[in-house]
Amino acid sequence: MSKRSRIDEKQKEFEDSDTDSTDTEEEMLEQLPSTLPILATEKSEKTINVDFEFFDPKQGDQEQIAKLLTNYLPQTKFDLEGIANFIVSQSRVGTVVKIEQEDIIGFVSVININTNRSLKCVEQILEYLEKNLDEDFKEKLDELLQNEKANVGLILDERLVNCPHILAPHIMRAIFDEINWATEDEPTKELQNSFKFDYILNLTRCFVTVESKNEIENEKKNLEVQWPKIEDEFLMEQSEMSSFWLPEKEIESKEFHISPYIEKKICMLIPMKRIDKMRTNLNSLFNLN
């Protein structure tokens, strides 16, 4: 059984979703509307039907999850297999999105970086953040990591770039509902408490408009931000702190790609108490409230 009902979807090239449904969010999760957009590669009036389903991560999913993680972190410097194994091992809190029960086109999970600091993959991510975060952000994160009573959850959220945006509110509902359920349903008090997050850490990417190399190096002069995953924009709105930086592949490149967008990594820290506001705003975009 899937976590969510199938999604029948259609759209013309590059159209955003224009959902007119009056269903409540509860009803939408039982049967999502057939108005989800997919990016087309050619101009066409043809209808494209695709079935999406949500499942618990399971053994055998690791390879496909690890492939998606290459958009998240460089494969050569991070233990992506370790991250994928963790996602599968924590199947009660986490979701994979599949096409017709086979190919994984996205996933979402969360890892408590306070209680799992000893894992190689978490150590690597923290070292990466230590290298790239602004000083104020680093101080705040170090303070939270040193606090034995604090819990910070790193959201692991990736999918193919041409997935329909309307998947976003359902993916966010899946992970944050499961986090809430885990605080009561996990078998031990220790596990329950590990999902009582004070903050959510979101490490993701965006694309910014630039007109020169100087603007690439000066985030304050960026003209516009494009978000491959629409939920990141809404998480950013609720963030307490954030840092942008160039991925290493851009820094090491002899040519800066300025036509006119360039990729930047971004990390944001969101108080857990603001997540409901994020979800409400994201749902409103698709008339799901």
Side-chain angles (χ1 to χ4, degrees):
M1 292 292 292
S2 64
K3 285 189 175 182
R4 303 290 183 267
S5 301
R6 288 188 180 181
I7 303 169
D8 286 329
E9 157 171 24
K10 63 181 178 179
Q11 103 141 32
K12 299 176 184 177
E13 181 189 19
F14 301 118
E15 284 183 348
D16 289 327
S17 171
D18 189 20
T19 304
D20 291 325
S21 172
T22 58
D23 291 343
T24 66
E25 188 176 359
E26 289 287 345
E27 292 167 336
M28 296 292 284
L29 286 171
E30 293 298 322
Q31 185 172 3
L32 298 177
S34 57
T35 54
L36 308 186
I38 281 187
L39 295 181
T41 55
E42 298 178 356
K43 289 185 178 180
S44 174
E45 300 294 322
K46 189 169 160 184
T47 295
I48 303 173
N49 294 314
V50 178
D51 290 339
F52 293 93
E53 291 186 285
F54 286 24
F55 294 88
D56 292 325
K58 62 178 178 58
Q59 289 296 325
D61 288 342
Q62 289 95 324
E63 182 177 355
Q64 292 188 65
I65 291 172
K67 285 181 180 178
L68 287 169
L69 281 166
T70 59
N71 289 327
Y72 183 72
L73 293 167
Q75 186 173 9
T76 56
K77 296 187 177 182
F78 293 88
D79 180 19
L80 303 189
E81 182 179 348
I83 299 174
N85 285 334
F86 179 87
I87 290 170
V88 168
S89 71
Q90 188 180 264
S91 61
R92 289 167 61 90
V93 181
T95 293
V96 294
V97 184
K98 294 186 177 182
I99 296 178
E100 299 180 348
Q101 304 187 35
E102 295 183 2
D103 296 329
I104 296 176
I105 53 89
F107 68 85
V108 65
S109 189
V110 65
I111 181 168
N112 186 318
I113 60 175
N114 295 76
T115 60
N116 292 287
R117 287 186 70 177
S118 61
L119 294 180
K120 179 182 177 182
C121 57
V122 174
E123 288 180 349
Q124 291 173 331
I125 291 172
L126 291 177
E127 289 173 1
Y128 178 64
L129 294 178
E130 179 72 20
K131 177 182 175 182
N132 290 288
L133 292 179
D134 295 338
E135 287 302 319
D136 289 347
F137 200 153
K138 280 194 286 189
E139 289 179 9
K140 177 67 174 181
L141 186 57
D142 287 343
E143 176 186 320
L144 290 170
L145 291 173
Q146 297 301 323
N147 186 344
E148 294 183 357
K149 295 183 178 180
N151 279 317
V152 179
L154 174 66
I155 288 291
L156 303 167
D157 176 24
E158 276 297 327
R159 56 186 179 273
L160 297 181
V161 293
N162 63 340
C163 287
H165 282 322
I166 202 173
L167 285 175
H170 304 291
I171 288 171
M172 290 293 95
R173 176 176 176 123
I175 188 60
F176 287 111
D177 275 2
E178 288 180 346
I179 287 172
N180 288 335
W181 296 335
T183 63
E184 298 179 356
D185 296 344
E186 286 298 292
T188 68
K189 196 68 175 177
E190 182 180 5
L191 281 173
Q192 291 173 9
N193 290 337
S194 72
F195 289 100
K196 294 179 179 179
F197 295 118
D198 302 288
Y199 284 91
I200 292 296
L201 196 66
N202 184 32
L203 174 60
T204 186
R205 61 179 178 151
C206 63
F207 293 86
V208 296
T209 56
V210 289
E211 295 179 351
S212 69
K213 180 176 177 179
N214 288 336
E215 286 191 1
I216 291 173
E217 295 170 345
N218 182 1
E219 65 193 51
K220 297 183 184 301
K221 295 185 69 175
N222 292 332
L223 304 177
E224 182 183 355
V225 178
Q226 295 289 330
W227 303 93
K229 303 194 308 296
I230 191 66
E231 64 266 31
D232 289 334
E233 179 176 0
F234 289 83
L235 286 163
M236 182 65 172
E237 289 176 355
Q238 302 303 321
S239 66
E240 183 177 297
M241 310 185 85
S242 62
S243 287
F244 291 84
W245 64 89
L246 282 173
E248 290 186 8
K249 63 183 179 182
E250 298 288 358
I251 295 174
E252 295 170 357
S253 175
K254 293 181 180 179
E255 295 183 3
F256 287 88
H257 306 287
I258 52 175
S259 57
Y261 292 99
I262 190 166
E263 180 181 346
K264 279 196 172 185
K265 300 295 286 187
I266 178 172
C267 187
M268 56 190 86
L269 187 67
I270 308 102
M272 190 66 184
K273 62 185 179 182
R274 297 183 188 172
I275 291 299
D276 284 347
K277 178 67 172 176
M278 178 278 295
R279 291 174 57 181
T280 297
N281 292 344
L282 181 59
N283 288 343
S284 295
L285 180 66
F286 299 99
N287 299 321
L288 296 183
N289 287 331

